[in-house]
């Protein structure tokens, strides 16, 4: 294994969370994770029974929540048909028609969930909330806008996603079980289950770039971005959470420049560890610019420049370890 | 309720301690004799999960927890007033529970005390917690709302592209690293 990959791999080897910066970084979740692993495909018809099994052997609230979260993520699959139907009807219908459809669809969603352990975001968030309820934890479903390559990039916004907020030691934290359970592989054409704790107790600042709640108090931020900031900011992927990245510059997704201009793309990572294998990839040009690091006080800044010499529209990706972590759209005139 | 009439209080002490350690006790001292009124809340053959007072020392009159005296029954309905059958009803912290019948009615199988928490849950509905109050009536009316507004998002490995629509990350790109 290349040395750079080994360094990154060893960071993930333990069960220590990389979520909300520092609060639970000393907690070893291997006990909670192994309890979650004891009940594969446990029935869902009585969630109190499941919750007791997942949480009674654990003594701290954060471990109980971890056991619940891990169980839901590893025993639930995303359902593509429900996703497509939901997307179609939610964007097409409104008012009474939407309410009528939702009533019937809701019955179907919970039926599929209980019988097949398959669902969409609201099903995941519901399970986490209910299991937490039975464990005596304060947990809520948060509805809002989920942002990814296929949703809420520019435009007016389409509220399409559900996630959770949980109170631990009198402080609220944000979690997204749907996105932590795996993802649809569009090449394979199916759901690939793979637990990632990137969205377990996530950093609110990075979380707000891909999750914007209808009730903005659930941003858990004093300096709140607006919906417009959210819809038009740099697009982040799961890697941004895994590597604790903060895009610094540019701070907008849509960039418009004149031919021959240079753009400097910069970011830093909040845990300060040096990240190798980072490059700037321009889609249509298929060019790669390596990132260099600059020490600014005790912050390590990654920087890469590109001069756009031809007119057109380009998708620009910051790539780390072979996968994009941040994307931009550049229009050259 | 069992009544024990004991004439010689001193000889009863060890026995009293033993009984006191398992049940809640109300002591009433009369002029002529010691009368013990013993109220046991859950009997002697309890499961490890049962919420009991066995861990507490023999309670003094001032700090005795409320005795379970509420017989609780009721009906569970949705927001439209339609009955909800099959709802699981538990006493929090225990495995004691029951299920609502086809008309949404239930009767809790044990007497409950002030402060006891009942949970009502059914997959697809938002769970409800009800705390027994001092003046909780015999018949409860519980309403359970829909569990979640259904949003439909899922995660995919698509990457933004100017070409429009979904586009996966090209696997040959990794080979060019």
């Amino acid at each position: 294994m290349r040395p750079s990959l080994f360094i990154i791999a060893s960071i993930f080897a333990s069960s220590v969370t990389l979520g909300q910066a520092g609060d639970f970084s000393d907690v070893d979740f291997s006990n909670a994770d192994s309890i979650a692993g004891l009940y594969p495909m446990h029935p869902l018809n009585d969630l109190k029974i499941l919750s007791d099994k997942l949480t009674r052997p654990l003594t701290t609230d954060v471990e109980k929540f971890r056991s619940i979260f891990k169980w839901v993520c590893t025993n639930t699959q995303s359902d593509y048909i429900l996703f497509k139907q939901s997307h179609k009807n939610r964007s097409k219908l409104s008012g009474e028609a939407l309410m009528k459809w939702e009533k019937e669809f809701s019955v179907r969603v919970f039926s599929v969930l209980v019988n097949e352990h398959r669902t969409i975001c609201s099903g995941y968030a519901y399970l986490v909330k209910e299991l937490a309820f039975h464990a005596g934890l304060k947990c809520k479903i948060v509805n809002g806008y989920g942002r990814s390559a296929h949703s809420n990039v520019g435009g007016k916004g389409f509220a399409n996603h559900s996630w959770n907020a949980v109170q631990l030691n009198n402080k609220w934290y944000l979690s997204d079980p749907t996105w932590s359970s795996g993802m649809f592989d569009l090449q394979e054409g199916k759901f690939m289950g793979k637990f990632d704790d990137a969205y377990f107790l996530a950093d609110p600042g990075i979380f707000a770039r891909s999750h914007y709640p209808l009730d903005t108090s659930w941003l858990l931020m004093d300096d709140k971005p607006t919906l417009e900031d959210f819809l038009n900011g740099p697009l982040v992927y799961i890697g941004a959470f895994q590597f604790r990245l903060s895009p610094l510059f540019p701070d907008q997704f849509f960039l418009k420049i004149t031919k021959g201009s240079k753009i400097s793309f910069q970011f830093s990572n909040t845990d300060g560890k040096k990240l190798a294998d980072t490059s700037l990839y321009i889609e249509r040009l298929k060019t790669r610019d390596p990132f260099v690091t600059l020490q600014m006080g005790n912050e390590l800044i990654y920087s890469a420049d590109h001069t756009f010499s031809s007119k057109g529209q380009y998708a620009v990706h910051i790539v780390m370890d072979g996968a994009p972590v941040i994307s931009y759209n550049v229009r050259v005139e | 309720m069992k009544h024990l009439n004991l004439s010689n209080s001193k000889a009863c002490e060890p026995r009293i301690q033993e009984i006191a350690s398992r049940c809640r006790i109300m002591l009433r001292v009369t002029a002529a004799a010691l009368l013990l009124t013993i109220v046991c809340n859950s009997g002697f053959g309890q499961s490890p999960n049962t919420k009991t007072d066995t861990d507490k020392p023999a309670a003094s009159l001032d700090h005795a927890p409320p005795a379970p005296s509420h017989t609780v029954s009721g009906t569970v309905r949705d927001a439209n007033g339609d009955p909800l059958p099959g709802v699981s009803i538990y006493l929090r912290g225990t495995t004691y529970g029951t299920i609502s019948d086809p008309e949404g009615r239930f009767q809790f199988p044990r007497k409950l005390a002030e402060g006891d928490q009942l949970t009502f849950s059914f997959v697809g509905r938002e769970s409800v917690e009800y705390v027994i109050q001092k003046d909780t009536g015999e018949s409860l009316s519980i309403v359970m709302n829909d569990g979640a507004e259904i949003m439909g998002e899922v995660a995919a490995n698509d990457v933004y592209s100017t070409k429009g629509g979904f586009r996966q990350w090209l696997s040959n790109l990794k080979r060019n690293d």
Side-chain angles (χ1 to χ4, degrees), chain A residues 46 48 102 122 126 130 150, chain B residues 90 94 125 127 150-151:
Chain A
D46 188 326
K48 192 253 193 211
E102 202 186 330
S122 301
Y126 174 85
E130 288 289 310
H150 64 261
Chain B
Y90 282 103
T94 76
R125 302 240 148 235
S127 284
I150 306 298
M151 308 298 231

Side-chain angles (χ1 to χ4, degrees), chain B residues 95-112:
Chain B
T95 51
Y96 293 120
T98 184
I99 296 183
S100 63
D101 73 9
E103 271 85 55
R105 293 174 308 205
F106 70 93
Q107 166 134 345
F108 203 78
R110 319 189 69 79
K111 285 200 190 231
L112 297 168

Side-chain angles (χ1 to χ4, degrees), chain A residues 191-205:
Chain A
F191 179 74
M192 308 294 266
K194 182 172 180 282
F195 178 74
D196 196 304
D197 73 352
Y199 304 108
F200 173 69
L201 310 180
D203 179 276

Side-chain angles (χ1 to χ4, degrees), chain A residues 147-149 151 153 209 233-237 253 325-328, chain B residues 160:
Chain A
R147 192 165 189 249
S148 65
S151 51
V153 175
R209 293 195 178 271
L235 180 63
V236 301
Y237 303 85
F253 180 76
V325 293
I326 304 170
S327 294
Y328 294 88
Chain B
Y160 178 76

Side-chain angles (χ1 to χ4, degrees), chain B residues 2-23:
Chain B
K2 287 186 205 167
H3 291 258
L4 286 179
N5 199 334
L6 304 153
S7 47
N8 185 338
S9 57
K10 262 207 160 59
C12 296
E13 238 177 287
R15 179 81 182 128
I16 293 167
Q17 292 293 348
E18 185 204 304
I19 297 166
S21 72
R22 286 178 186 250
C23 309

Side-chain angles (χ1 to χ4, degrees), chain A residues 306-325:
Chain A
H306 189 88
T307 304
F308 292 84
S309 44
S310 313
K311 282 191 194 175
Q313 213 177 169
Y314 305 90
V316 175
H317 307 294
I318 297 176
V319 180
M320 206 168 279
D321 198 17
V325 293

Side-chain angles (χ1 to χ4, degrees), chain A residues 44 46 48 83 86 90 102 121-122 126 129-130 133 150-151 160 162 184 186 237 283 288 317 322 329, chain B residues 90 92 94 121-127 149-153 155 157-161 166 168-169 177:
Chain A
L44 295 172
D46 188 326
K48 192 253 193 211
F83 157 69
S86 173
R90 284 195 76 89
E102 202 186 330
C121 56
S122 301
Y126 174 85
K129 180 199 164 184
E130 288 289 310
F133 167 85
H150 64 261
S151 51
N160 59 347
S162 299
F184 278 102
L186 298 172
Y237 303 85
E283 195 181 48
R288 278 187 176 279
H317 307 294
N329 174 304
Chain B
Y90 282 103
R92 231 194 224 287
T94 76
S121 51
F122 185 85
V123 181
R125 302 240 148 235
E126 186 176 12
S127 284
E149 187 178 350
I150 306 298
M151 308 298 231
E153 190 68 347
N157 67 348
D158 50 335
V159 170
Y160 178 76
S161 167
F166 295 14
Q168 82 220 26
W169 188 245
D177 275 5

Side-chain angles (χ1 to χ4, degrees), chain B residues 69-75 106-108 110-114 118 120 130-142:
Chain B
S69 57
H70 290 79
T71 303
V72 175
S73 62
T75 312
F106 70 93
Q107 166 134 345
F108 203 78
R110 319 189 69 79
K111 285 200 190 231
L112 297 168
E114 182 188 342
L118 284 185
F120 295 80
Y130 181 87
V131 182
I132 304 293
Q133 306 294 313
K134 200 166 170 187
D135 55 1
T136 289
E138 292 266 320
S139 190
L140 302 183
S141 190
I142 303 290

